[in-house]
Every structure is written in structure tokens, then in C-alpha cells.
Amino acid sequence: MSMAVPALRVGRLAPVGVAAALAGLVALLALLTLTLGPVPIPAERALAALFGEGGAAETAIVQGVRAPRLLLGLAAGVSLAVSGAALQGLLRNPLADPGLVGVTAGASLGAVTAIVLGAALAAGLLAPLRPYLLPLAAFAGAAAATGLLFALARRRGETGTATLILVGVALNAVAAALIGLLAYLSSEQQLRELSLWSLGSLGGANWTMALVAALLALLAGPPLFTASRALDLLQLGERAAFHAGVEVERLKLRLGLAVALGVGAITAAAGPIGFVGLVAPHLARLTVGPAHGALVPVAALYGAALVVAADLAVRLVAPPSEPPIGLALSLIGGPFFLWLILRSRDDA
Amino acid sequence: MIRALLLALLLPLGAAAAERVAIAGGDLTEIAFALGAGDQVIAVDTTSTYPEAATALPQLGYFRRLAAEGVLSVAPDLLLVSPGAGPSAALAQIEAAGVAVARAPDIEGPEGIGPKIRFVGAALGRGAEAERLAAAVEADLAAVAARVARLAARPRVLFILAFQNGLPLVGGEGTSADAIIRLAGAENAAAGAEGWKPMSREALIAAAPEAILMMTGRAHATDGMAATLALPELSATPAGRAGRGFEMDGNLLLNFGPRTAEAAARLARLVHGAAAEAAGL
């Protein structure tokens, strides 16, 4: 962040106003998600169905399909955006996102292992847990990757941020190689399944999945939202932050674990969802400036709006089929990122 | 109690009355149309490319990635799915919304054709037609098998699905390609491999295929069959030297269904040439 962000014109809009406007946008998108869909249900009937007062079919669609999707979308947007903001601040690197440090790759490796070796793994699992083998494996993969990341990057009680990124890159490479090996071992059907999973989707969301993911993301919330002052001080450099009273090592560990918990839970439920973790913090920085006290909550709202909007788009664009959400997000996120790079280059 | 029993007896009839059927699985769609129930089919998935009429129907997307609300939006009263269809959460949500979901029997290869036809027939209320079609298909397959048995030669055929990073992805043991090659009285040159595998140049030469088989259109990636056969790793094989490469429609070739006997006979004619004609294929 200290490298590139000064080159960007950062916004100085009042954070409270921005947050209120974004909260309104998220609420509107949530309402649209509940009332719009391939099955045309009038808005008032959809809302009645949400509270269990509609016909059986309408209730099944609004309560059983749209509502858990919305919950998972909100949880994914908030969790990925806040994780991205925390990592960018922690590593003082504007390119950091959960994908860069290997957390997403770890989750992917877990999921791919479950898809390819699923039958053997399921045998060792309690029967009620078997349908959740894939999310459990993805979560275990994310946790293992984070554990390895911090264990390997730590030397003499210190965790260098450059080392952290390099270890993340190495973990990404190893995970990609193992995923390649599993893809080689897989049958044609498993290959299709894992390539589809890697595109990400909120379509598999049922209440159990969405609630578990949202709950875990909620657990990861407090450490991420309360670290603002420490993250601000950290931008002056680790030594300066330390002298200002920030326990830098503990901060790294705490935020790292929170990111693994949130991102692991979301990736487990929805597959790898890219760009939100990278783009939402940048959007926030452009509108309310780099101070984390405002940046983190505003990024969370941007993330929620982005994911829910992208999911709404893929549900409505080509019914009755549904393109993967990753495509919509990357189509929004890719050009935005390019614009960000071009703009910072022009200003420099 | 008696009412419940009566209901249970009536249930198959109720299912038979399905007027609006959505299908996720190309083989099931083909069977539904072969049974004359095409007008009951209201939406299909991307693997349903035969017959032509099916491709004009609303598109549900890839059958492993159905969208619950998308399927519900075409208002089916029955959804027929292949064993691999999903995700399971979406299927559960579709059932919860009151749409019956019927899963096809999970039997691969030619043995699965009869059960699949009877399954579709039962679901669409065409039990008698299904019985006739299944019997006819099984008789056709037996006739082709008897004629194939008369052929003396077992030419080595290599099925190439696609080229991946320049290496051909071939159909090894247990694949649908392997099954149809054997039905046509040929030997699978990739029998050493399990499933779909990229084959190295050396392994290709060692496999010594006498003919290359691809799906129509797939050889375009390498500028057509002639150019494929001219690739250095293939030109050194017997198939490359003799210029023997064949293309067949992928759906006809690999989807085990009502047309499989025809596919096997056509492949046998391509591979065996005059000997197949003499055997009555």
C-alpha cells in the first residue's frame, strides 16, 4: 500500500455518508434478489412467501432457494472484502488478497481432493457429515495452508511480510501442482466437476451450508474489524508501529487466522470467488481514503454489493441456465483493476 | 390405510401423466424423443444435442450444474436426470418446490441402454413403447455382435477426444470410447491406460494404432484429419502411414442409447472396410 496508493487519488468523501449509501444499495440488491428470479413472482407475493404466507411453491423458491443464496452472497462479499482489506494493510501491499497468500489455493486443493478421492475419504467420515465432505475438505485445506504459511514465514519469532508473500507464492505453486496431479488421476466426470467447482457459484447454497458459512465468517469478523488502528500504524513501518505499542507479531497471527477462517468457510461453500478481496478494498480506498477505521466497513459493504449484484446478474442473464458467478465478478473486477492500474500510472 | 395403498397404486399412473418434462442428460432426451414423447419435453440440458428438435428447447445449462430456480422457471412437473446430474442441493430444492425428480439407473456402456429406455418409458407413461424399443435395440445389438464375431481381424483403433497441450487425450479402458470400439469388433489401442489420459509421443508409437478415431469437428484443432495424421507422433504409426483416420458424430458414438447398434455397425464398416460388408454389417 505504501508503494502504490500515494500515486492514486484517494477519495475524501464522508465515510458515514458513503456507508449509508452503500448500505442502502445492499438493501436494495437484497430486496431484488428476493423478488427477482427466473420464476416470475410478484414482489408482494415473494415477500409474503419469505414470511411463510405464500403458496407452497413460492415459499419453496423464496425461502428455500433465494434466501439462503442471499445469505451466502452477503457473507461471501463481506468476508472476502474484509479479508482482502486486512491482508493489504497487514502486508502493506496493494496486490494482496486471499488468493495471493495461498489460502484460496489451500481450500481449492482440499475441495479437489474431496472430488477426486471422495469415495475413499467419505468412508472414514460419520454418516451425517458425508454430504458436507467437500466443504469440510476445503475448509481443512484453507486452515492447513494458513498454518503452513505462518509456520514457514516465521523466523526467530518474526514474520517478514516479504517472506510471507513469497511463502504464499510457493504454497500456491505447490497447491497448483497437487491439483494438477489430482486432475491427472481423475476420471472425465471428476475433471468436469472440479473445473466447474473452480469457477465458483452460490447455486449450491442451502440453509445448512449458508448458515455454517455465515456463522464462521461472523466469528472471523471481530479480529478483522477491530484491527483498524493497528493497521493504520503499521503503514508507517513495522518498527514504528511496534514503538507505537502495536504487538505486530500477534496482530499478524490473529489476522491470518481470521482470514483463513472467513475465506476457508466461504470458499468451502461457494468455491473460489476471485476479485472481491482485491477490488472491494480499492473501491473503499478510492472513496473514503486509506484510514482503516472507515476503509474496512466500507470495503465490507462494497464486497456485499458486488457479490450480490453479480449473483443477481448471473441468475437473470440467461434463464433457465446460469453462468458461473466468477465470470460475472471477473468481468466487473478485471476492467476495474485495469482502470485502477492505468489511473495510478497517469498520476505518477 | 386403504387410501394410502390406493394412492401408492395410483402413483405410477400419476407419474405417467407428466405433461411437462424437463430432462438433464443427452441420452435420456434422445430416448424420450425415440419413444415419441418429444412433445412432452419442455426443456433440456447442454448435453442434449440429438435429435435436432431438442436443441430448439429452452436450455437448462450443463447437467452437473443445474440452477434450482432456473429449472423451476420452466414449470416442469417432472425432471429426469442422469446419474451425474446436480448439484444435489439444487435437486433437493427442486423436489422441495413440488417437482418430481427421477434419477436414471447408473449403468454404463451397452448394458445400460435397455434399463435407461425402460426408465424413461415408465416416467413418461410410454411403458409399452419403451418395452418394444428396448427389445428392438437389444436385438439390433445382438445382431451386430453376431456379425462382428464373424470378422477375423481385430484392428487396433485409437480414439482421440481432443489435443491437450499438443498431446492427444485418448480413451483408455472403462471409457465409452473403449466400449464402442470393442462393439465394432476392434481392439482399443489405448487399452493399457485407465480413463481419459494424455498419451505421450513414445507411448503413441508403442501403441501402434492402425486407425485413428475422432469426433466430428474435433480434428479441426489440428486442421482436419489429414493434418492430424501427419503429426510427427502419428505419422510414424501404422494409422499414419496408411492415412487411416475416421470421424463420427460424438453423440452417436459415445452416448449409449437407441442408436448404439447403428453406431457400432457404422464404425465397423469404417474400420473393417470390405470385410464388414461381407459380414453383412
Side-chain angles (χ1 to χ4, degrees), chain B residues 17-116:
Chain B
E19 289 298 322
R20 298 178 58 80
V21 182
I23 303 184
D27 45 354
L28 304 179
T29 304
E30 183 180 337
I31 292 168
F33 278 82
L35 291 174
D39 53 344
Q40 283 163 261
V41 182
I42 54 156
V44 295
D45 72 321
T46 47
T47 64
S48 300
T49 53
Y50 183 92
E52 191 75 33
T55 60
L57 292 168
Q59 187 50 251
L60 299 174
Y62 188 53
F63 75 113
R64 294 188 200 286
R65 203 188 176 90
L66 298 171
E69 203 183 330
V71 172
L72 294 174
S73 74
V74 298
D77 40 35
L78 175 66
L79 172 67
L80 296 186
V81 296
S82 281
S88 50
L91 294 181
Q93 286 165 337
I94 291 166
E95 278 181 312
V99 175
V101 176
R103 293 162 176 82
D106 190 5
I107 311 169
E108 281 174 32
E111 293 77 26
I113 300 174
K116 274 193 290 193

Side-chain angles (χ1 to χ4, degrees), chain A residues 53-336:
Chain A
E53 285 161 14
E58 284 168 6
T59 306
I61 288 168
V62 178
Q63 275 190 0
V65 181
R66 291 181 187 171
R69 246 188 123 125
L70 174 63
L71 177 63
L72 184 59
L74 290 171
V78 169
S79 185
L80 295 172
V82 170
S83 299
L87 281 177
Q88 287 177 9
L90 187 66
L91 304 179
R92 296 195 300 284
N93 186 324
L95 288 179
D97 84 334
L100 183 76
V101 291
V103 178
T104 312
S108 296
L109 180 58
V112 171
T113 308
I115 290 170
V116 177
L117 309 173
L121 290 176
L125 214 58
L126 292 171
L129 288 177
R130 271 177 209 165
Y132 301 102
L133 173 66
L134 197 153
L136 283 174
F139 187 69
T146 313
L148 265 177
L149 178 72
F150 279 93
L152 294 175
R154 204 175 165 85
R155 275 185 97 180
R156 290 189 220 101
E158 281 182 28
T159 317
T161 50
T163 319
L164 213 53
I165 293 175
L166 285 174
V167 170
V169 169
L171 284 180
N172 269 326
V174 172
L178 290 175
I179 288 171
L181 176 69
L182 286 166
Y184 178 78
L185 292 174
S186 67
S187 70
E188 183 198 17
Q189 177 178 332
Q190 291 164 338
L191 199 63
R192 292 302 304 247
E193 214 165 305
L194 67 92
S195 72
L196 285 175
W197 182 84
S198 69
L199 291 173
S201 168
L202 302 181
N206 56 22
W207 274 114
T208 320
M209 200 102 113
L211 278 174
V212 170
L215 209 69
L216 290 176
L218 204 65
L219 283 179
L224 295 172
F225 276 99
T226 54
S228 300
R229 206 183 101 79
L231 284 174
D232 284 344
L233 288 169
L234 204 57
Q235 304 317 304
L236 306 170
E238 285 194 21
R239 187 166 299 173
F242 179 76
H243 287 304
V246 178
E247 288 183 83
V248 178
E249 284 308 308
R250 287 190 55 182
L251 180 72
K252 282 176 186 163
L253 199 61
R254 207 160 46 128
L255 291 186
L257 290 177
V259 165
L261 186 66
V263 173
I266 296 304
T267 309
I273 293 182
F275 270 119
V276 182
L278 183 66
V279 160
H282 281 295
L283 278 170
R285 208 169 284 122
L286 283 168
T287 41
V288 299
H292 286 86
L295 185 141
V296 174
V298 169
L301 290 167
Y302 269 121
L306 266 175
V307 173
V308 175
D311 190 46
L312 192 63
V314 300
R315 284 170 59 225
L316 295 175
V317 70
S321 64
E322 200 178 281
I325 190 171
L327 294 183
L329 276 170
S330 298
L331 279 178
I332 300 171
F336 171 76

